[in-house]
Structures are given as structure tokens and as C-alpha cells.
Amino acid sequence: MVKIIEMTSVSRREVVKLGGAGALALLSTTLLPSSAQADANRLTEAIKNLIGDKPTKNGKIKIALPQIAENGKSVPMGFEVESPMTDENYVKSVHVLADGNPRPDVASFHFTPLSGRAKANTRLRLAKTQNIVAVAEMNDGSVYMAKSPVTVTIGGCT
């Protein structure tokens, strides 16, 4: 069976309409405010929801993350927090956040002195190139934060 397709001419008006719609679509994507600011605001809000207004300090947290992730669907990530893990001095929680994901809060890990070490390994699903942030809450109320960038070549969130 042969299917015959008839070609019809396109009017100049239709060409202008299509061109205008394409130009409008292109223009709207370049003129919209950058999502980077929205991502930073979402990250700040997520951290505030976790720890309140407590100030954060640098140090104590080591993040193990590849610099380049070929596929954002499964990015290996690990962390370790320097702590003696005694009844007097231990890590209560570590929260992992990704500033470029639609929902920045990725995972939370909870520890006790019986944990021995405040260390964990997991895999992350990342939408795009971004920073991974680890926030460690200590039993004395202090909070430590570390950040590590990862370049994602193929996004894992759809």
C-alpha cells in the first residue's frame, strides 16, 4: 500500500507566526531570572529548617565525591566527621544537601556514641553540576559544614 502525502504551500503569515513563536520561546529562556539564585535560596532555607539559626563552622567533615560524574543517576558519595564519638563528644546527625537539585535535602544520617565513627557512604541522584553540602550537628549544639563541587555530564533527575 502506497501512502500519498500532498504538500501544501505555507503562507508568509504562517512562517512569520512560527518564527515569532520560536523567537519568543528562545527569548523567554534567556531573559528569565537565573535559577542559581533560587537554588541558593532553597539550599539556605533547607539548612535553616534542619539546624535553625545556629552558626556553622568549617572543618571536621571530609567529603569523598568524584570531581566529574559521568551520569547523575548514581553518583558515589561518602563523608566522615572527625569526632571521638564518646558520651561527652559525638556527632548527632549529618545532613547531605545538593544545591542544584529540585529538592536540596538529599539524606540525613543519625549517630550515637555507640556508632564508633561518624562515617557513611551512599549514592546520590543529581540533576546537574552543583555543590554537595554536608552539615554535621554535634551533641554540644555546634554545627560544622563542608561543601564539595561535582560536575555532572548527564543529569539524573527528570
Side-chain angles (χ1 to χ4, degrees), residues 6-49:
E6 290 187 34
M7 302 292 285
T8 60
S9 62
V10 179
S11 72
R12 186 172 147 204
R13 180 173 292 201
E14 290 171 330
V15 170
V16 170
K17 279 184 191 178
L18 290 173
L24 182 62
L26 180 64
L27 199 62
S28 67
T29 59
T30 58
L31 293 180
L32 288 175
S34 171
S35 64
Q37 184 63 33
D39 293 341
N41 290 339
R42 271 187 263 152
L43 178 68
T44 303
E45 187 175 310
I47 292 172
K48 187 174 183 175
N49 288 340

Side-chain angles (χ1 to χ4, degrees), residues 83-98:
S83 172
M85 297 302 283
T86 63
D87 288 336
E88 296 79 34
N89 185 356
Y90 65 94
V91 178
K92 283 180 26 179
S93 300
V94 175
H95 308 285
V96 178
L97 302 104

Side-chain angles (χ1 to χ4, degrees), residues 86-139:
T86 63
D87 288 336
E88 296 79 34
N89 185 356
Y90 65 94
V91 178
K92 283 180 26 179
S93 300
V94 175
H95 308 285
V96 178
L97 302 104
D99 70 3
N101 274 9
R103 290 194 57 207
D105 45 340
V106 175
S108 291
F109 300 85
H110 304 284
F111 301 96
T112 70
L114 297 176
S115 299
R117 289 169 50 179
K119 179 178 181 177
N121 292 302
T122 189
R123 292 192 173 270
L124 306 175
R125 189 171 191 169
L126 303 177
K128 59 184 179 180
T129 297
Q130 58 194 290
N131 292 309
I132 303 303
V133 178
V135 178
E137 293 182 85
M138 309 301 282
N139 71 310

Side-chain angles (χ1 to χ4, degrees), residues 65-72 74-76 126 129 149-154:
L65 194 65
Q67 288 182 341
I68 298 174
E70 294 296 325
N71 189 337
S74 183
V75 180
L126 303 177
T129 297
V150 61
T151 301
V152 177
T153 56
I154 300 172

Side-chain angles (χ1 to χ4, degrees), residues 45-64:
E45 187 175 310
I47 292 172
K48 187 174 183 175
N49 288 340
L50 292 168
I51 63 168
D53 292 325
K54 296 177 186 173
T56 60
K57 304 174 189 177
N58 291 329
K60 291 201 179 197
I61 306 173
K62 293 179 185 167
I63 300 175

